[in-house]
Amino acid sequence: MKKQFKFNKAFLPCSIISCVLIVCGIVGFFVKGINLGLDFRPGLIEEVRVANPVADIVYNGSANVSLDLSAGQMDIVISGTGVANETRSFNFAVLKTVDELAAEVNKIDNVVMTVRNGSYDSTKLFLNSAVTNQLKNTPMYIYPAGTSDITTDDLRKALGDEGVAIKQLGNGADASYQLRMGVSSDDAQTDLQGEVNEKLYSAFCKENVAIIKTDFIGAGMSKSIASRSIIMFVAVVLLIWLYATIRFHWDFALGSVIALLHDTLIMFTFIIWTQMEFSTTVLAAVLTIIGYSINATVVILDRIRYNLKMMPEAKSFNDILNKSLNETLVRSVLTTVTTLFAVVSLFIFTTGSIKDFSLAMIVGLLSGMYSSIYISSAFISASRRNWKPEYGVHHSLKHASADDV
């Protein structure tokens, strides 16, 4: 006969251990705090590309000349006192290469476009938006898309420990990179942006670095993201509690919610004491574990409900709990272990935010299996400590037997 574990004997010590860990997390919150990622605090977002310019353009006259570049054409706007106000447009469907484009641009008085790679496709050009679009005697560089050979690792090496999160946008040679930097004030924003850009210029040469876009996330926006995340979490827990109440019983539902809160607090304890950056990616791991944990808990609750009907010989509710937990143990372990295979692989073979996601998932998966067996069941056992065989379905079975006699 297969060995039957007496899980109820560990309910009290496991509950005490969990309470101690959660208290440690609460203490850590006030002592160390949460290492909030850039998604939850004010910061600067800068999108950059690194590529060798295919041309540069200067203007040596007295007029005001600006340059606009799109995927379809280049516009040079000339205005000012003593000159004819006009806009020169250069259609890339006609001027298909940089050489052809430069030949036409150089027909404008005092405008000089110097070509470095004349065979490049004119429809794939872009400018450095960090500089003014006014043409002066300082060169404005024109860059080619699809020629970058740097990676996120190159950027991390260049920036060092600058508190900058790096995200790749696009693939291969056509990729650009989003840099996220946390700041505390407008002055700090300017200083940090200057420091980061100087490191990029030093590593890749200033003329090869193009700033595509710059945005600033204010304190109000970061607080809004944090508050919405809390509302989303509370809504998820309430909906799960409602579902479990309808499907099972109030104590079953409350036990499942307690298990969910337990898993969440254990994950936050781990995040606080390891000072893992809490980003939207890690938040996604927390919400994923909530879904995983409730699934594991519902399987056990369903088995308990079934055994309540099918065990008329049970002398105590813990007998039913132990049998149900033994019957679902293999399923709980195998489901967790197989999921861990994938998550551990992510942790080993990835870097950055995905590595943090997988580490949080590992902690959450182990906590979810543990809480489904010991925390949820411990609460249900406590709520039904006065359970007697004549209650519920067992009561009707007993009366049916008496009538038969």
Side-chain angles (χ1 to χ4, degrees):
M1 183 177 178
K2 187 170 68 172
K3 180 178 176 60
Q4 298 293 302
F5 297 101
K6 300 293 185 182
F7 289 98
N8 66 294
K9 292 184 178 179
F11 285 167
L12 181 59
C14 285
S15 298
I16 293 173
I17 292 172
S18 292
C19 288
V20 170
L21 290 175
I22 291 170
V23 168
C24 288
I26 295 172
V27 172
F29 175 78
F30 290 103
V31 173
K32 299 172 70 71
I34 299 178
N35 180 22
L36 292 175
L38 296 172
D39 301 312
F40 296 100
R41 56 193 172 98
L44 180 72
I45 302 177
E46 186 173 86
E47 184 181 343
V48 302
R49 278 184 170 181
V50 178
N52 294 318
V54 293
D56 62 71
I57 186 168
V58 296
Y59 174 69
N60 296 311
S62 59
N64 297 319
V65 180
S66 62
L67 185 151
D68 292 315
L69 182 64
S70 65
Q73 68 181 32
M74 175 189 286
D75 294 321
I76 295 181
V77 181
I78 304 171
S79 62
T81 304
V83 298
N85 295 332
E86 61 177 326
T87 299
R88 300 281 188 92
S89 296
F90 305 93
N91 193 322
F92 295 154
V94 178
L95 308 173
K96 297 182 179 181
T97 66
V98 175
D99 270 336
E100 294 175 358
L101 176 64
E104 293 299 316
V105 169
N106 286 330
K107 294 178 180 180
I108 302 175
D109 291 342
N110 299 315
V111 174
V112 178
M113 182 172 174
T114 304
V115 177
R116 304 186 183 192
N117 182 353
S119 61
Y120 193 81
D121 186 350
S122 58
T123 62
K124 298 181 179 180
L125 303 177
F126 63 91
L127 299 174
N128 184 347
S129 64
V131 300
T132 177
N133 67 342
Q134 295 293 316
L135 289 181
K136 299 179 180 179
N137 56 6
T138 303
M140 177 185 290
Y141 297 104
I142 301 175
Y143 296 91
T147 62
S148 176
D149 59 358
I150 70 164
T151 65
T152 52
D153 290 335
D154 295 326
L155 285 173
R156 287 193 182 94
K157 183 177 179 181
L159 297 175
D161 187 17
E162 197 67 52
V164 180
I166 303 171
K167 179 181 179 181
Q168 181 174 323
L169 305 176
N171 298 312
D174 201 35
S176 60
Y177 298 88
Q178 184 185 79
L179 311 181
R180 297 179 62 91
M181 300 157 268
V183 296
S184 56
S185 66
D186 291 343
D187 291 338
Q189 169 195 350
T190 303
D191 294 342
L192 182 56
Q193 184 180 19
E195 291 175 12
V196 168
N197 288 346
E198 283 301 321
K199 289 194 173 186
L200 292 176
Y201 298 154
S202 175
F204 304 111
C205 186
K206 184 173 182 177
E207 70 176 36
N208 295 338
V209 178
I211 311 300
I212 306 301
K213 183 172 62 176
T214 301
D215 291 314
F216 179 69
I217 299 177
M221 177 65 74
S222 60
K223 289 179 180 177
S224 174
I225 294 173
S227 61
R228 289 179 182 180
S229 300
I230 294 171
I231 292 171
M232 178 173 60
F233 173 78
V234 172
V236 168
V237 172
L238 287 176
L239 288 172
I240 288 174
W241 170 79
L242 180 62
Y243 160 78
T245 301
I246 295 171
R247 181 170 178 181
F248 299 106
H249 193 263
W250 73 267
D251 54 346
F252 282 31
L254 193 53
S256 64
V257 169
I258 288 173
L260 294 183
L261 295 176
H262 167 274
D263 297 337
T264 303
L265 291 172
I266 291 296
M267 290 180 74
F268 271 97
T269 297
F270 178 81
I271 290 167
I272 288 169
W273 284 102
T274 59
Q275 284 295 283
M276 176 193 296
E277 183 178 82
F278 185 73
S279 62
T280 50
T281 304
V282 175
L283 176 62
V286 173
L287 295 176
T288 302
I289 289 302
I290 288 177
Y292 179 90
S293 179
I294 190 61
N295 179 65
T297 303
V298 163
V299 170
I300 295 173
L301 296 181
D302 197 56
R303 178 56 59 173
I304 295 171
R305 183 177 62 177
Y306 175 80
N307 285 332
L308 276 170
K309 300 177 182 179
M310 304 305 294
M311 290 180 63
E313 75 284 358
K315 295 181 179 179
S316 70
F317 186 74
N318 280 337
D319 291 340
I320 297 174
L321 265 181
N322 287 327
K323 181 174 176 59
S324 302
L325 292 171
N326 276 285
E327 289 174 346
T328 56
L329 179 62
V330 173
R331 185 263 183 202
S332 298
V333 172
L334 287 180
T335 302
T336 301
V337 170
T338 52
T339 308
L340 278 172
F341 285 152
V343 177
V344 170
S345 297
L346 281 175
F347 177 73
I348 295 173
F349 297 110
T350 61
T351 58
S353 60
I354 298 299
K355 195 177 188 73
D356 289 342
F357 172 84
S358 57
L359 182 56
M361 283 288 292
I362 290 171
V363 175
L365 285 169
L366 296 175
S367 176
M369 181 178 67
Y370 161 82
S371 67
S372 296
I373 296 173
Y374 289 107
I375 303 304
S376 177
S377 299
F379 174 81
I380 297 171
S381 175
S383 69
R384 300 201 176 198
R385 61 184 178 275
N386 295 323
W387 181 89
K388 296 186 182 300
E390 58 266 25
Y391 289 175
V393 175
H394 204 148
H395 177 69
S396 62
L397 287 174
K398 188 172 181 180
H399 277 272
S401 300
D403 292 341
D404 292 341
V405 173

